[in-house]
Amino acid sequence: MLRNYINGEFREAADGRTLDVIDPCTGEVYDTSALSGAADVDAAMEAAAAAFPAWRDATPAARQKVLLRVADVFEDRAAELITAESRDTGKPLAQMADDEIPPVVDQIRFFAGAARLLEGRSAGEYLEGLTSIIRREPVGVVAQVAPWNYPLMMAVWKFAPALAAGNTVVLKPSDTTPASTVLVAGIIGEVLAELGHPAGVFNVVCGDRETGRLMVEHPTPAMAAITGSVRAGMQVAASAAKDVKRVHLELGGKAPAVVFGDADLAGAAEGIAAAGYFNSGQDCTAATRVLVHESVHDAFMTELVKAATGTVTGLPEDPRTVYGPLNNAGQLSQVSGFIDRLPGHAKIEAGGHRVGDQGYFYAPTVVSGLRQDDEIIQNEVFGPVITVQSFTTEDQAVEYANGVDFALASSVWTKDHARAMRMSKRLDFGCVWINTHGALAAEMPHGGFKLSGYGKDLSAYGFEDYTRVKHVMTAL
């Protein structure tokens, strides 16, 4: 059984309730996790609040040492983390080892370094006889909710900057993917104990949406941070408003990939397919919405269909597997529903069906002939489905790209540098990639606009989101 981790101890839910944890490759129960209620949330918040003064007052170097040690243990125990994550998500084992563990470790180390840069921007005399000082301080206890698409990586994006800044944490993983987060809790707890810090600095509470609601509405946290759906983000923002908690939201996406006539079509198709199908398309930045110039539409479509049909979905241990199953039965139903409801003018160029009769596998799919107001263009599918529209002018490309409610990520594919620069200015998205899609660096911010939320993950901007600014003025 996967248990909560509160104040340095693994605990079952106070009332003994549990949730089934499903293997998405088979659709069968493989374990259970704690289904936490108000008593469990109270205990976790109490532990985090009690630990906060000592952790806040620890030197930046001491907090850095903890995070660096955690990163080292992640490397040493990578096989355990990969196994836990893959069992919950069906992710390919080789892909986890190559594409997720290294950046996760790097991101922890980045924030370990950031811990020692918690400083004000200036000090000086702005009124006669008075000196002003700016202090950057941790906000306090932070309630965090991680999603099921990247359970391990999103947990790191949450706890690493929060702990580096001096906050204490209560983190809830998704009810469908708790395994790697529970393992992480044990690792962090061991490091905190080893280095002499309070056990309540980091806590994990497993549970469902109700558990998350209890965390956000709890009076103890000064901040709530979530990566999840737009609906969940709206609920968190509304709940947090009751006592004016700070809120950090990374929500949905509908990333356009704009392909101009001068682009390397084979390279663009390969890059877009890789970014669209990675993690079964369950990625808010996935290249799911292609806008291609009409002059190269057919040629590009040939290349994209070739890339799609060459993409293998299968079991985690199969070295040929590019992506595994969708995360859960509900997600399989959602993706299938978008395809079942396609309008008559749409054409399925590849895929468009479930794979096998066990688990939640879905074929790499390409859909063409779509219009801007079609449901599948306007709403997030969150599956291995890439749509294709054509455009005639740069202005129309911008209109189509920006003509959705999401604004997280986008890409432009062209050999024309001036056009790329114009498009990067005009595209209303938090990230614009040029001739690539999906690359992330710990030093660069990740976050969107509009319904994609607000606040930044990664980078110094993400670190600062977990701090507050205080002005101190003293008479000379």
Side-chain angles (χ1 to χ4, degrees):
M1 177 181 173
L2 300 165
R3 295 174 292 168
N4 295 332
Y5 189 80
I6 299 173
N7 205 29
E9 297 177 346
F10 285 105
R11 308 180 187 179
E12 296 181 8
D15 61 7
R17 292 186 301 160
T18 62
L19 287 166
D20 288 338
V21 183
I22 308 296
D23 181 345
C25 291
T26 64
E28 298 175 352
V29 176
Y30 88 88
D31 206 342
T32 60
S33 70
L35 174 51
S36 300
D40 307 294
V41 172
D42 284 345
M45 294 300 175
E46 181 180 350
F52 174 64
W55 184 247
R56 174 198 61 203
D57 295 340
T59 65
R63 294 198 293 269
Q64 179 190 53
K65 188 174 182 180
V66 168
L67 288 171
L68 289 175
R69 179 70 180 127
V70 169
D72 290 344
V73 178
F74 269 39
E75 283 188 323
D76 293 341
R77 298 177 64 176
E80 294 175 64
L81 291 166
I82 291 168
T83 298
E85 182 96 342
S86 182
R87 191 66 188 271
D88 272 357
T89 64
K91 293 183 182 186
L93 298 174
Q95 189 179 90
M96 278 289 301
D98 294 341
D99 298 333
E100 292 203 35
I101 294 297
V104 157
V105 170
D106 178 66
Q107 288 153 8
I108 296 173
R109 288 178 174 148
F110 170 81
F111 285 114
R116 299 182 75 163
L117 289 174
L118 192 62
E119 59 185 18
R121 289 192 178 133
S122 66
E125 291 68 50
Y126 301 96
L127 293 175
E128 185 176 349
L130 298 167
T131 293
S132 288
I133 301 169
I134 299 297
R135 291 178 54 89
R136 280 275 182 183
E137 300 178 340
V139 298
V141 176
V142 181
Q144 301 181 320
V145 180
W148 48 252
N149 59 333
Y150 292 102
L152 177 60
M153 185 174 289
M154 295 300 100
V156 168
W157 286 21
K158 292 285 180 288
F159 77 71
L163 295 183
N167 303 284
T168 54
V169 167
V170 179
L171 172 65
K172 190 191 87 68
S174 168
D175 57 331
T176 66
T177 56
S180 62
T181 306
V182 171
L183 181 56
V184 165
I187 290 172
I188 294 178
E190 291 171 7
V191 171
L192 289 168
E194 173 190 329
L195 297 179
H197 296 286
V201 167
F202 183 75
N203 308 271
V204 166
V205 176
C206 299
D208 57 9
R209 290 178 183 171
E210 175 63 11
T211 310
R213 184 190 67 78
L214 290 170
M215 287 174 55
V216 173
E217 292 187 355
H218 200 279
T220 296
M223 178 178 178
I226 177 176
T227 297
S229 67
V230 174
R231 183 198 68 244
M234 289 178 173
Q235 291 171 346
V236 166
S239 295
K242 295 175 183 177
D243 56 0
V244 201
K245 283 185 179 70
R246 184 179 298 196
V247 178
H248 185 285
L249 303 176
E250 200 275 275
L251 308 177
K254 194 68 181 173
V258 185
V259 181
F260 285 93
D262 64 339
D264 172 1
L265 299 185
E270 182 179 347
I272 289 168
Y277 298 134
F278 186 82
N279 202 40
S280 312
Q282 299 170 133
D283 188 319
C284 296
T285 65
T288 58
R289 187 165 57 103
V290 176
L291 305 172
V292 58
H293 193 268
E294 61 181 3
S295 65
V296 293
H297 176 275
D298 293 349
F300 175 82
M301 184 64 70
T302 297
E303 296 291 344
L304 183 60
V305 169
K306 182 169 66 175
T309 55
T311 301
V312 177
T313 180
L315 296 173
E317 61 271 17
D318 188 336
R320 301 171 301 167
T321 297
V322 174
Y323 70 85
L326 295 167
N327 180 257
N328 54 72
Q331 193 60 26
L332 175 62
S333 177
Q334 174 171 309
V335 174
S336 300
F338 273 100
I339 299 303
D340 292 343
R341 295 189 300 273
L342 283 173
H345 52 264
K347 179 183 179 183
I348 298 175
E349 303 279 356
H353 57 82
R354 182 179 181 180
V355 176
D357 56 4
Q358 180 175 267
Y360 312 127
F361 297 91
Y362 203 85
T365 299
V366 178
V367 182
S368 67
L370 293 160
R371 300 170 185 167
Q372 185 67 14
D373 59 353
D374 287 336
E375 176 197 31
I376 200 170
I377 296 297
Q378 291 297 319
N379 296 323
E380 187 174 35
V381 178
F382 222 56
V385 178
I386 296 175
T387 63
V388 181
Q389 299 166 263
S390 64
F391 66 87
T392 57
T393 66
E394 186 176 308
D395 286 345
Q396 189 179 52
V398 171
E399 177 188 352
Y400 285 176
N402 292 342
V404 296
D405 290 332
F406 302 93
L408 181 58
S410 60
S411 62
V412 179
W413 302 77
T414 180
K415 296 175 183 176
D416 185 330
H417 177 74
R419 173 186 286 146
M421 292 299 97
R422 286 195 306 273
M423 291 294 292
S424 68
K425 177 181 178 181
R426 299 180 71 188
L427 288 173
D428 188 22
F429 295 85
C431 176
V432 181
W433 287 291
I434 298 172
N435 294 324
T436 189
H437 193 113
L440 296 171
E443 296 84 352
M444 291 293 108
H446 175 83
F449 315 134
K450 295 160 63 174
L451 289 189
S452 292
Y454 44 82
K456 298 296 182 184
D457 288 312
L458 302 177
S459 78
Y461 300 98
F463 178 59
E464 289 183 354
D465 277 355
Y466 286 95
T467 69
R468 63 185 189 181
V469 176
K470 178 185 286 183
H471 172 218
V472 178
M473 181 177 280
T474 180
L476 296 178

